[in-house]
Structure formats: C-alpha cells, structure tokens
Amino acid sequence: MTKKQFGIIFTLMALIAFVGVLAAKLNASGLNDPTDLGQAISQANLEDKKDDKKDDKETLGTQDYFYSLRSEKEQLNSATIQQLKEVIESENTAQEEKDLANNELIEKTMLINQEGQIEISVKNRGFEDALCSIEGNKVRIVVRADELTEDDTIAIQEIAENVSGISDVIIEAK
C-alpha cells in the first residue's frame, strides 16, 4: 500500500469517525428534522459548553459561522453525491452518462477528501477550527483566529498547495 493510498484511507476513516460523533451528538439532542442540522449542532455545542463551564474567548457568532458554513457545505456535498448516485443507478440512463456521473462522483469524493486533509492539517498547526473549500482552481480556507501571522499564512498556503496542488489560495481569519 502506497503512502497516498494510506492517506486516502486514513482520511476516509477520520470522516467516518467525525460523522459518527456528529450522529451521536445529534441523537443526544433529539434531532427529528434533518433540515435543522445547523440548529441542532449549535444546540449540542451550547449544551457541551454548559457542561464543561470553560471560559471561552470565542463568540457565539464565530461558532455559528463555522457550523453553518460546514453544515451548508456538507448538505450541498451530500445532495450532489446523492444525485450522481441516482444517475449511476438509474436503468434509464445511457452508459455514457453513467460513466460521466461516475467520474464526477470520483472527483467530488477526492475533493472532499482533500478539503478534509487540509482542514486537519491546519488544525494540527494549532488552530481551533478551519474550513476549506476547493472550487475550480481556487482553495479557500477560513481559520478560527483573531489574526494570522505571516508564518501562519505561509504554512497554511504550503499545506493547501501540497494537498491540492493548487497555488491560488485565499486565507481568511474569523
């Protein structure tokens, strides 16, 4: 098994673990309507804060910003993947269209994995939270921080370039 394959498998396992933790938190807070995902995550986070009673410097607005963006991104990704799977599984779809949908599904999955790898790597640099989106030939990374130093910006830029191979990186601090 090559390092690349190991990295992909590790990233997928991390995503599975993340979804498992998210599902456990959502089930604990009694989520009945899947359209309220962002609200349920915020509610679960608030309950955790009350239990922990830690003195956080973050504002609720910043937390909501990251949760709402992540929620929207995950919903969009899952809807796209579901549509592509429906095209692939449909008996009425021509083989050419199925092949195109399959290729697009593979590309989408790879982008999701790359975004996850970038987010994990940025968090490993000491940031509390990070959100990455790859759109075309641009990588956009939003980091939870008051401000970014030049060293942080360079390090995040290198992480994004190494993982995605894209040099056009937009970095924001929230």
Side-chain angles (χ1 to χ4, degrees):
M1 181 170 9
T2 66
K3 288 182 181 181
K4 187 175 183 180
Q5 290 171 330
F6 178 76
I8 292 170
I9 291 171
F10 180 76
T11 302
L12 288 173
M13 289 177 59
L15 288 172
I16 290 170
F18 172 75
V19 170
V21 170
L22 179 64
K25 285 188 175 205
L26 292 176
N27 287 336
S29 65
L31 177 67
N32 294 326
D33 185 10
T35 60
D36 292 338
L37 181 62
Q39 181 181 8
I41 291 173
S42 296
Q43 180 182 2
N45 189 36
L46 288 174
E47 290 173 4
D48 287 347
K49 280 184 141 187
K50 289 177 185 175
D51 293 341
D52 294 342
K53 294 183 180 179
K54 293 183 180 177
D55 184 23
D56 292 335
K57 295 179 182 176
E58 306 165 347
T59 63
L60 185 58
T62 305
Q63 290 175 352
D64 286 344
Y65 176 79
F66 278 89
Y67 286 126
S68 65
L69 275 182
R70 185 169 280 124
S71 175
E72 288 174 19
K73 182 176 132 182
E74 289 175 0
Q75 287 177 357
L76 183 63
N77 286 342
S78 65
T80 302
I81 289 172
Q82 182 64 31
Q83 288 173 347
L84 291 171
K85 284 183 178 181
E86 287 174 5
V87 169
I88 292 169
E89 295 171 358
S90 174
E91 294 178 10
N92 299 332
T93 306
Q95 188 61 37
E96 260 183 50
E97 290 179 34
K98 287 183 179 184
D99 292 341
L100 289 172
N102 191 38
N103 289 338
E104 192 173 330
L105 179 62
I106 291 170
E107 288 177 28
K108 186 68 174 172
T109 305
M110 294 299 288
L111 283 178
I112 292 170
N113 289 336
Q114 288 176 348
E115 291 171 349
Q117 284 179 332
I118 292 170
E119 289 173 4
I120 290 170
S121 297
V122 170
K123 288 178 188 176
N124 286 340
R125 286 265 314 147
F127 293 101
E128 195 167 329
D129 203 354
L131 195 62
C132 175
S133 64
I134 301 173
E135 299 168 359
N137 290 330
K138 288 187 180 184
V139 178
R140 180 174 180 245
I141 302 171
V142 181
V143 180
R144 183 177 293 171
D146 292 329
E147 61 182 79
L148 293 172
T149 65
E150 188 175 336
D151 290 340
D152 290 337
T153 304
I154 292 170
I156 294 170
Q157 173 91 21
E158 287 176 0
I159 290 169
E161 287 179 7
N162 290 340
V163 174
S164 68
I166 299 172
S167 59
D168 190 5
V169 180
I170 301 168
I171 303 169
E172 296 179 33
K174 287 279 182 183

